[in-house]
Amino acid sequence: MKRLHLMILCLSLILLSMNTACFRKGEKRIEVQWENSLLLPGCTGMSENVGLAGAYSGIVGGKLLVLGGANFPDKYPWEGGTKTWWPTLYSYDLHTGKWIVYDNFLNRPLAYGVSISLKEGLLCIGGCDRMQCSDKVFLIKEEGDSFAIDSVSYPSLPVPLANATGAICDSCIYIAGGQETMVNEQSTRHFYMLDLLHKEKGWQEMPDWEGPSLSYAVSVVQKGRFYLFSGRSYAPNEETVEYTEGYVFEPNAGKWSQISGSFPVMAGTAIPCGEDKILLLGGVEEILPTTPEHPGFSRKLRIISTKTNSLEDSLDCPYPIPVTTNAVTTGNQVFIVSGEIRPGIRTPLILKGTF
């Protein structure tokens, strides 16, 4: 009888510990409510917006800004469609829910640059048009009831760059990878830093990661460290190769280290979460031919623990998660602004997640 009581007691303790563990795991699990109803309006030359890849985006003065970008407005690539770059600024008031469209806002159409939201405005770094990449760095700031371009307060990049990735860490902006030209395209291992407290020093060249050249990589800053994931390398007469490695740069030490694991998130987006999490949103898991039969890109939200530098969990989004776009955060919300849902196919919808 005593033996039976002891067995029952042990079983009860095991069940209790299992329930407690499940409860604690449930407490920590990230949950997201997704909406996919916000729609980019049309503009001059595109009465019905088909969506934009590579647009700059951020929040300025309570308004979500979407600027530039590229698409195939008339025909898909496999139908002989021509890729078009745009100079348009779209402003969505987060309080009133109204759009204002500024046609020909840029003096040249641009896309595929890096967007950094600052207190002063939206900083747009590099990018390209059909013919060439850009080294320009300019700020979109409020001016009365409208917006203006400040093209003189920030130094140009050391080289023209498109399809790079970047993030801000404390007062320093880091830019990684990308390509310099639109002819004989080639990915790079560039790694630059701009100290916003000493802009007069310009962009400083930093030690690059010990890995392949990368474009379409994904970067994010968490707890004072710069993380770099995935991307692809390419060069004239060489096959395009997708990579799934992860790297982390320690600014204080000035050194890189590689993260264990596989992160197939090329051209996706990322945001920091809490004190020790990184959320990798979507991405291209495998390079497939551009055809109408393409299955679309990843709908996964991968959760990385920066304590262990490893994948901790993953969630599925009920809607397509666009690539070649940005993730813009405000409070506990994230906006994934337009982008591509399949090769050559954009979406005019802005995916919104509430955590």
Side-chain angles (χ1 to χ4, degrees):
M1 183 66 69
K2 287 183 178 179
R3 195 170 188 176
L4 178 61
H5 287 165
L6 184 59
M7 290 175 63
I8 293 172
L9 177 60
C10 289
L11 181 61
S12 299
L13 289 172
I14 291 170
L15 290 172
L16 178 60
S17 66
M18 287 174 63
N19 289 336
T20 303
C22 291
F23 175 73
R24 286 176 179 170
K25 185 177 181 181
E27 272 190 331
K28 293 181 179 180
R29 185 175 175 85
I30 294 172
E31 295 183 358
V32 191
Q33 293 180 339
W34 295 102
E35 300 175 38
N36 204 28
S37 58
L38 186 58
L39 186 70
L40 275 176
C43 66
T44 299
M46 185 171 51
S47 58
E48 186 173 337
N49 206 312
V50 301
L52 300 161
Y56 307 87
S57 57
I59 293 176
V60 177
K63 298 176 177 65
L64 175 65
L65 301 187
V66 184
L67 174 65
N71 59 20
F72 294 87
D74 301 317
K75 296 180 180 179
Y76 294 125
W78 53 86
E79 297 173 335
T82 300
K83 193 171 186 178
T84 301
W85 275 254
W86 297 88
T88 311
L89 172 65
Y90 306 85
S91 170
Y92 177 75
D93 193 309
L94 295 172
H95 303 293
T96 66
K98 294 182 178 180
W99 285 100
I100 297 179
V101 178
Y102 302 86
D103 290 303
N104 298 312
F105 183 81
L106 294 172
N107 59 12
R108 63 181 282 205
L110 280 176
Y112 304 105
V114 174
S115 306
I116 303 289
S117 291
L118 303 175
K119 291 181 180 179
E120 305 85 58
L122 175 63
L123 195 64
C124 304
I125 303 169
C128 65
D129 58 20
R130 181 188 308 280
M131 303 299 294
Q132 59 186 356
C133 297
S134 172
D135 64 353
K136 302 304 180 187
V137 179
F138 55 94
L139 184 77
I140 308 301
K141 60 182 183 179
E142 284 189 292
E143 189 171 88
D145 295 330
S146 186
F147 298 92
I149 300 174
D150 176 357
S151 58
V152 299
S153 296
Y154 294 83
S156 297
L157 289 165
V159 296
L161 275 183
N163 300 316
T165 185
I168 185 169
C169 182
D170 297 324
S171 62
C172 295
I173 295 174
Y174 292 90
I175 300 294
Q179 66 185 61
E180 295 184 24
T181 66
M182 297 299 286
V183 179
N184 297 324
E185 299 175 10
Q186 183 171 345
S187 54
T188 72
R189 292 172 59 186
H190 291 316
F191 188 47
Y192 298 119
M193 183 272 290
L194 176 67
D195 186 345
L196 295 177
L197 301 181
H198 299 282
K199 290 185 290 184
E200 70 281 359
K201 294 182 179 180
W203 293 88
Q204 302 173 45
E205 188 170 357
M206 307 294 287
D208 60 52
W209 57 98
E210 294 184 1
S213 62
L214 295 173
S215 284
Y216 299 96
V218 178
S219 65
V220 64
V221 165
Q222 176 60 289
K223 209 141 190 181
R225 295 183 288 183
F226 179 87
Y227 289 82
L228 182 68
F229 298 96
S230 194
R232 68 181 187 238
S233 65
Y234 46 86
N237 303 316
E238 291 184 13
E239 184 180 356
T240 298
V241 179
E242 180 179 0
Y243 292 94
T244 60
E245 286 85 356
Y247 304 90
V248 56
F249 179 74
E250 302 273 358
N252 292 334
K255 293 182 179 180
W256 287 91
S257 57
Q258 188 169 347
I259 304 170
S260 62
S262 177
F263 310 97
V265 296
M266 181 184 71
T269 54
I271 59 173
C273 182
E275 294 295 322
D276 60 356
K277 299 287 187 298
I278 290 172
L279 308 185
L280 300 175
L281 304 156
V284 180
E285 295 185 337
E286 181 183 6
I287 299 176
L288 298 172
T290 301
T291 67
E293 289 74 34
H294 192 285
F297 304 125
S298 173
R299 296 191 181 197
K300 287 188 179 299
L301 189 159
R302 293 175 170 86
I303 303 169
I304 308 297
S305 168
T306 57
K307 288 183 178 179
T308 61
N309 280 341
S310 62
L311 181 68
E312 185 175 85
D313 200 358
S314 66
L315 309 172
D316 289 324
C317 178
Y319 304 107
I321 301 179
V323 300
T324 58
T325 183
N326 303 299
V328 179
T329 59
T330 176
N332 67 332
Q333 295 180 333
V334 59
F335 295 91
I336 304 177
V337 182
S338 195
E340 291 180 76
I341 52 174
R342 288 201 294 261
I345 300 179
R346 280 49 169 164
T347 175
L349 296 171
I350 296 175
L351 182 60
K352 175 185 173 183
T354 303
F355 294 86

